[in-house]
Amino acid sequence: MTDSDAYEALERLVIDFTEAFNREDIDEVMSYIAEDAIYDEFNGVRSVGLAAIRQAFEPQFAGAYGTMRFHTEDMFLDEAAGKALIRWVLTLEEETRAGAYRGLDILHFKDGKLTEKHTYCKARIPLIRKRSEMEADGGWPG
């Protein structure tokens, strides 16, 4: 596979994964995810493994936040490492209200499967964790 082919394959994988979310097809979304994958939500919650990740996604796919659509604004790909950064606007629409926020996902793929999904969003108040909590889960730098 040429570098161009690898780039295009990763780009297609990222687009198809995102579009599965927009079709609200949880089974298709889960088909992209590796058995031991990691999903870090924007709120600091971490889910590991298919069952835990599916459980984390279920409220979204059940309509708990209204109709959700990811609109890609930009994408950076590192095909050699199997990594992508996708910047998006997420629209949320319910019968009586609608809104949107910006965010991004850092995605890691290996052998065509998503192994890590790290989600970040713009917020007025950043999520600040205590040092002791971060040390306990191995996340404190240095």
Side-chain angles (χ1 to χ4, degrees), residues 5-22:
D5 291 341
Y7 184 92
E8 290 173 9
L10 180 58
E11 180 180 45
R12 183 82 262 148
L13 193 57
V14 171
I15 290 168
D16 290 349
F17 178 66
T18 302
E19 287 304 312
F21 272 94
N22 289 341

Side-chain angles (χ1 to χ4, degrees), residues 112-131:
K113 291 287 192 177
L114 183 74
T115 59
E116 296 183 34
K117 180 181 189 301
H118 305 273
T119 299
Y120 301 88
C121 72
K122 291 198 172 199
R124 289 188 181 156
I125 301 170
L127 173 63
I128 299 174
R129 295 182 59 208
K130 293 180 181 176
R131 179 179 180 158

Side-chain angles (χ1 to χ4, degrees), residues 37-39 46 106-109 113-118:
I38 297 167
Y39 170 41
R46 175 177 270 207
I106 300 172
L107 307 172
H108 296 212
F109 290 93
K113 291 287 192 177
L114 183 74
T115 59
E116 296 183 34
K117 180 181 189 301
H118 305 273

Side-chain angles (χ1 to χ4, degrees), residues 29-94:
V29 167
M30 296 308 299
S31 75
Y32 288 93
I33 299 175
E35 185 71 37
D36 58 348
I38 297 167
Y39 170 41
D40 278 330
E41 297 181 49
F42 67 90
N43 58 9
V45 174
R46 175 177 270 207
S47 300
V48 179
L50 285 173
I53 293 170
R54 184 181 188 97
Q55 185 176 18
F57 287 155
E58 282 175 348
Q60 173 182 338
F61 286 91
Y65 315 111
T67 300
M68 299 175 66
R69 295 290 180 268
F70 291 90
H71 305 272
T72 301
E73 293 187 314
D74 205 355
M75 187 181 333
F76 301 91
L77 303 173
D78 180 345
E79 69 277 9
K83 295 180 181 181
L85 183 145
I86 182 169
R87 183 171 48 98
W88 39 258
V89 172
L90 174 62
T91 56
L92 303 112
E93 297 183 57
E94 296 178 290

